[in-house]
Amino acid sequence: MRAETPFASGRAFYRFSLNLSRPGFAAWPVAAVANHSQSAEVGSRHFAIPAERRLINELRAGIAGAVPKRAWLPLQGLSA
């Protein structure tokens, strides 16, 4: 098996998560699980991820609801 670059892995992950929205789902990444070595090991074992592959992220997914209000402040609101 040819090693996949982190860029290719990330691209595939984000395409997958974006494609979840087509049938009306929403997904939220839970990168902390994949970034914590013990948690990643447990997740890889639970989902039978082969040793030559790696867990790059996990998603919490559900049925999409209303679009939340934008959380960013306008630039004018950041000045003192």
Side-chain angles (χ1 to χ4, degrees):
M1 173 179 236
R2 197 170 103 194
E4 185 175 77
T5 66
F7 180 82
S9 298
R11 181 179 177 187
F13 171 77
Y14 283 107
R15 282 182 184 231
F16 174 78
S17 65
L18 289 172
N19 282 329
L20 281 175
S21 65
R22 287 184 183 174
F25 291 97
W28 300 266
V30 187
V33 174
N35 292 339
H36 184 259
S37 60
Q38 292 173 324
S39 298
E41 183 180 330
V42 169
S44 295
R45 203 170 39 247
H46 179 78
F47 292 104
I49 297 173
E52 67 271 7
R53 299 209 173 221
R54 63 189 168 96
L55 178 66
I56 60 166
N57 211 329
E58 294 189 18
L59 290 174
R60 180 173 59 103
I63 297 171
V67 176
K69 183 179 174 187
R70 186 178 172 141
W72 292 354
L73 295 173
L75 185 58
Q76 297 84 352
L78 299 176
S79 61

